[in-house]
Amino acid sequence: MNRVAINREQGRARISRHIYGHFSEHLGRCIYDGFWVGPDSPIPNTRGIRNDVVAALKHIRIPNLRWPGGCFADEYHWKDGIGPQEDRPKMINTHWGGVTEDNSFGTHEFLDLCEQLGCDPYICGNVGSGTVQELSQWVEYINLEGTSPMTELRKKNGRADPWDVKFWGIGNESWGCGGNMTPEFYADNYRRYAVYARNYGNSSLYKIACGPSNDDYNWTRVVMSKTCGERGNLLNGLSLHYYTVPGEWAHKGSATEFTEDEWLITMRKAYHMDELISKHGAIMDEFDPARKVGLVVDEWGTWFDVEPGTNPGFLYQQSSLRDALVAAIHFNIFNNHAERVQMANIAQTINVLQSVILTEGRNIVLTPTYHAFDMFKVHHDAVKLPVFTESEPVAVGFGSIPAISASASIDDEDRVHVSLTNIDPVKEQKVNLELRGIPLKSVSGQILSSANMQDHNSFDNPEKVKLRSFTDAVISHSTVTVTLPSKSVVTLEIL
Ligand code: AHR
């Protein structure tokens, strides 16, 4: 039997809605075909941005969107993407397929997209191949209200008011595609670039330093030691990138054709996020004991082999029920680390890696991962209720992983939400939810599951995996007994 104990009195930290953020790069068909079809497209759009995509992302209350990369960010020069479309220079997207980037989607289009979505923009600046002045002027162009060469340029390009963008990344993967830097060299550069990314008006920027890849704990230590000190912190967030890759880098595995073993290995690797956050978090605690600096997991998700027949540089993959379980495991981990994790961004929103939306011409498919985001939106900005979880083990290789994971929160209307996963590919799991200090009048819920591990939504069958209401939760005194079918995600609302 599995056990999850929740005590209302222990609610302290808020789960930032920004944990449910997204990432969109100039990569494959994420921006072009995904968000952007251009104003002359027959596909319904508002100033070139797809209406169906905006509606779908608003439904899951997308809180922020990271752009323009990824590796692309460190070769992107923002001035190429402003002004009349016909004057914008073309470039080669060397990282991603060597295709021509015509810069038709630039700063104004991205910020229009965020306004249509009602979400916060998160812009990643170019440190690898850009100058301090370039980044400084980008912030000025976007955020300054007064008169300056940059604001005059912005006005000439049709935008009178500043946008007031808060979230700024100072480089991406500076240890790799963003400049191949050592942590020492990057940290010194971070300090320099960050100084000139100015605060304008009353708002102050939330500056995110490039953090580690996976378990590079030395990177975290060096960057934290050089940016946090007695005289205050020079950063607001430190990024972490970790992808769930079931196989080797050269043969990552198929997104939709996999065995039970591969399912379990994928789950084990998804659970690894917990260890990464705990260990990087412990190093951050040494330099920032008050936990003011957020761990910003601004790239996470599954990474499989591309769909057969597609451009290997476009990273296009399908997304099955397995991806939804991976997402739900991550959400539970992020919720449970709400004191340190202030933001996270799945890679990537549309048509790339673990997408929530796939497009093909005018058609759109919502993936199982989309539905996981939908189920977890109840936790946005709610107060985390710590969970004590005891789980049955599921054997993987020579070890085992927990069958269930859980997280819980209470919102401003006093509604308690509990999210549970059962990664067991064959067996249902019974969970005893022990609720302390929580009146138990009713319980309702939603479930995401399907008959087969590999089930996914396609353009021919877009609703194969969808949300259903969940009724297998029984109240008895202060306990709710929940029967989780194999390979399922459940979110309960307890009133
Ligand atoms: O998301 C794809 C790529 O993965 C990003 O561009 C890069 O930051 C990471 O290596």
Side-chain angles (χ1 to χ4, degrees):
M1 178 62 111
N2 306 283
R3 204 179 139 227
V4 175
I6 301 167
N7 186 341
R8 189 196 165 137
E9 293 308 307
Q10 292 175 340
R12 307 264 184 283
R14 279 208 186 254
I15 296 170
S16 171
R17 67 184 182 283
H18 290 296
I19 281 175
Y20 295 89
H22 291 254
F23 167 40
S24 56
E25 179 167 7
H26 287 241
L27 194 178
R29 297 189 304 110
C30 182
I31 299 295
Y32 302 110
D33 275 5
F35 285 107
W36 178 256
V37 286
D40 301 329
S41 169
I43 297 171
N45 69 82
T46 302
R47 295 179 294 280
I49 295 161
R50 286 182 77 128
N51 294 343
D52 50 2
V53 162
V54 168
L57 293 174
K58 281 177 85 160
H59 178 74
I60 56 172
R61 291 192 218 127
I62 178 174
N64 68 67
L65 186 60
R66 179 175 182 249
W67 173 86
C71 295
F72 181 78
D74 280 288
E75 53 184 353
Y76 181 63
H77 300 283
W78 68 271
K79 284 184 186 163
D80 293 347
I82 55 170
Q85 291 279 349
E86 58 282 9
D87 295 345
R88 299 188 188 181
K90 296 185 171 50
M91 67 183 277
I92 299 295
N93 190 334
T94 43
H95 267 292
W96 305 120
V99 292
T100 300
E101 161 67 58
D102 70 1
N103 279 304
S104 49
F105 188 89
T107 300
H108 289 250
E109 291 75 20
F110 172 65
L111 294 171
D112 185 18
L113 167 63
C114 291
E115 284 181 339
Q116 290 188 37
L117 291 170
C119 78
D120 275 303
Y122 165 13
I123 293 183
C124 185
N126 180 346
V127 170
S129 70
T131 62
V132 172
Q133 184 188 34
E134 193 178 348
L135 180 56
S136 173
Q137 289 186 332
W138 203 4
V139 177
E140 182 185 328
Y141 184 89
I142 288 175
N143 282 355
L144 178 62
E145 186 161 19
T147 303
S148 80
M150 286 305 108
T151 58
E152 292 306 301
L153 186 58
R154 184 185 73 222
K155 287 173 197 161
K156 195 172 128 213
N157 289 330
R159 174 80 184 196
D161 295 331
W163 282 277
D164 197 12
V165 172
K166 186 178 173 67
F167 298 114
W168 288 85
I170 311 293
N172 169 74
E173 297 196 350
S174 305
W175 35 262
C177 66
N180 247 334
M181 303 177 197
T182 62
E184 291 80 5
F185 183 76
Y186 170 73
D188 288 342
N189 270 288
Y190 171 84
R191 295 167 63 110
R192 209 158 61 93
Y193 278 74
V195 167
Y196 299 97
R198 304 278 189 204
N199 293 329
Y200 296 108
N202 295 326
S203 48
S204 47
L205 305 186
Y206 184 103
K207 295 176 199 167
I208 300 163
C210 166
S213 165
N214 304 341
D215 57 358
D216 185 352
Y217 299 113
N218 182 51
W219 183 279
T220 300
R221 181 171 293 288
V222 173
V223 174
M224 287 299 287
S225 70
K226 281 180 164 255
T227 54
C228 294
E230 278 159 17
R231 284 190 290 139
N233 300 331
L234 301 176
L235 76 176
N236 305 92
L238 181 77
S239 74
L240 165 66
H241 289 185
Y242 171 68
Y243 285 95
T244 303
V245 185
E248 298 304 316
W249 203 242
H251 301 285
K252 301 180 216 34
S254 158
T256 50
E257 287 168 30
F258 51 86
T259 62
E260 205 171 287
D261 277 352
E262 287 172 298
W263 163 284
L264 288 169
I265 289 167
T266 309
M267 298 305 148
R268 189 182 64 202
K269 293 194 171 181
Y271 274 125
H272 184 55
M273 179 58 87
D274 190 52
E275 178 180 327
L276 292 175
I277 293 174
S278 300
K279 290 189 174 168
H280 286 293
I283 297 169
M284 293 173 78
D285 285 348
E286 290 176 33
F287 302 94
D288 171 39
R291 297 191 175 171
K292 291 197 173 129
V293 179
L295 191 59
V296 174
V297 191
D298 56 16
E299 287 189 31
W300 67 271
T302 54
W303 195 325
F304 304 121
D305 294 333
V306 297
E307 290 303 309
T310 64
N311 187 330
F314 281 12
L315 311 186
Y316 176 71
Q317 65 189 42
Q318 247 294 358
S319 189
S320 72
L321 177 65
R322 176 174 60 163
D323 297 75
L325 265 293
V326 168
I329 286 172
H330 279 75
F331 295 151
N332 281 338
I333 293 170
F334 296 153
N335 285 350
N336 290 331
H337 285 280
E339 290 82 356
R340 185 56 91 178
V341 179
Q342 293 181 3
M343 187 192 277
N345 306 74
I346 193 167
Q348 301 189 0
T349 326
I350 311 179
N351 295 332
V352 172
L353 300 179
Q354 190 174 351
S355 304
V356 294
I357 294 174
L358 305 176
T359 64
E360 213 175 73
R362 60 168 59 241
N363 299 323
I364 172 173
V365 159
L366 305 177
T367 68
T369 300
Y370 175 92
H371 297 302
F373 271 90
D374 196 10
M375 294 175 91
F376 277 74
K377 69 187 178 193
V378 291
H379 296 294
H380 290 200
D381 293 330
V383 173
K384 161 188 147 179
L385 295 177
V387 289
F388 170 81
T389 306
E390 267 177 15
S391 172
E392 296 285 340
V394 178
V396 190
F398 295 114
S400 69
I401 54 175
I404 63 156
S405 78
S407 68
S409 67
I410 182 162
D411 69 14
D412 291 342
E413 271 86 54
D414 256 11
R415 292 174 297 208
V416 171
H417 294 104
V418 182
S419 290
L420 298 159
T421 60
N422 173 16
I423 57 90
D424 196 311
V426 236
K427 274 178 28 201
E428 68 175 30
Q429 295 284 342
K430 275 206 186 317
V431 183
N432 267 354
L433 273 186
E434 299 168 15
L435 301 160
R436 301 191 186 127
I438 299 166
L440 259 181
K441 281 186 266 154
S442 73
V443 57
S444 57
Q446 286 185 306
I447 180 166
L448 188 64
S449 191
S450 198
N452 306 302
M453 295 180 293
Q454 302 85 353
D455 284 351
H456 55 276
N457 295 335
S458 63
F459 292 95
D460 296 330
N461 193 355
E463 300 217 4
K464 175 110 183 148
V465 186
K466 62 179 183 187
L467 287 180
R468 295 168 209 275
S469 57
F470 179 72
T471 48
D472 231 336
V474 181
I475 300 177
S476 152
H477 306 291
S478 61
T479 301
V480 181
T481 304
V482 187
T483 307
L484 297 175
S486 66
K487 45 188 172 7
S488 65
V489 184
V490 165
T491 290
L492 300 172
E493 179 166 281
I494 296 163
L495 300 173

